[in-house]
Amino acid sequence: MKKTVFLLASGLFFTVAAMAQTGTTSSTTTTQNPAVKSGMKDMRHDIRDERKDKRQRAEAIENGNKARAKKLTKDIHSDQKDINKDKNQLQSEGVKHPIKRADRQIHRQNMAHKG
């Protein structure tokens, strides 16, 4: 009888101790600065535009349309300048690795869109 009571008491003690350590999970939502949110959106659009222009430029070169390829190259350079400006602005606002973050957000959006 003594062993049974002792085992039950020790089991209860360890159960309570384990439950006390896990605690409760609180879902804290981080609210972003509206400037950061709009900056990330602008960067995603610039990255998508740059990728689209690169695809179109490759197609124009393949078809032998040098004038269109040259125009698209200028568009790509302007998109790259916009991306760098956005990157510097976001870094000054405290966003770490904004280009990599935007790439991942684009990937997540594409995967969600595919279903």
Side-chain angles (χ1 to χ4, degrees):
M1 178 77 177
K2 259 183 161 179
K3 285 183 183 180
T4 313
V5 172
F6 177 73
L7 283 174
L8 281 173
S10 62
L12 182 63
F13 173 75
F14 285 121
T15 304
V16 170
M19 294 295 270
Q21 286 182 359
T22 58
T24 60
T25 58
S26 63
S27 61
T28 57
T29 57
T30 57
T31 57
Q32 273 190 343
N33 184 0
V36 170
K37 200 169 187 179
S38 66
M40 286 301 294
K41 184 176 181 179
D42 188 37
M43 179 174 277
R44 285 193 305 269
H45 285 292
D46 290 338
I47 290 173
R48 285 181 187 270
D49 288 342
E50 180 188 18
R51 290 177 183 176
K52 181 181 175 186
D53 289 341
K54 284 183 178 181
R55 286 191 301 270
Q56 289 176 347
R57 180 181 62 179
E59 185 179 314
I61 290 172
E62 186 178 315
N63 293 333
N65 192 347
K66 290 184 181 180
R68 179 164 165 75
K70 191 171 186 178
K71 179 185 171 285
L72 288 168
T73 301
K74 288 182 181 180
D75 288 343
I76 291 169
H77 288 302
S78 67
D79 288 335
Q80 287 173 343
K81 285 181 183 179
D82 288 342
I83 290 169
N84 284 329
K85 285 179 187 176
D86 290 338
K87 178 189 87 162
N88 292 333
Q89 177 65 28
L90 288 167
Q91 282 180 339
S92 70
E93 303 225 3
V95 177
K96 295 180 183 175
H97 309 290
I99 294 175
K100 182 181 270 190
R101 183 172 290 206
D103 283 336
R104 289 183 181 188
Q105 289 173 353
I106 289 170
H107 180 73
R108 266 190 256 122
Q109 288 174 351
N110 290 344
M111 289 298 115
H113 182 66
K114 281 185 178 180

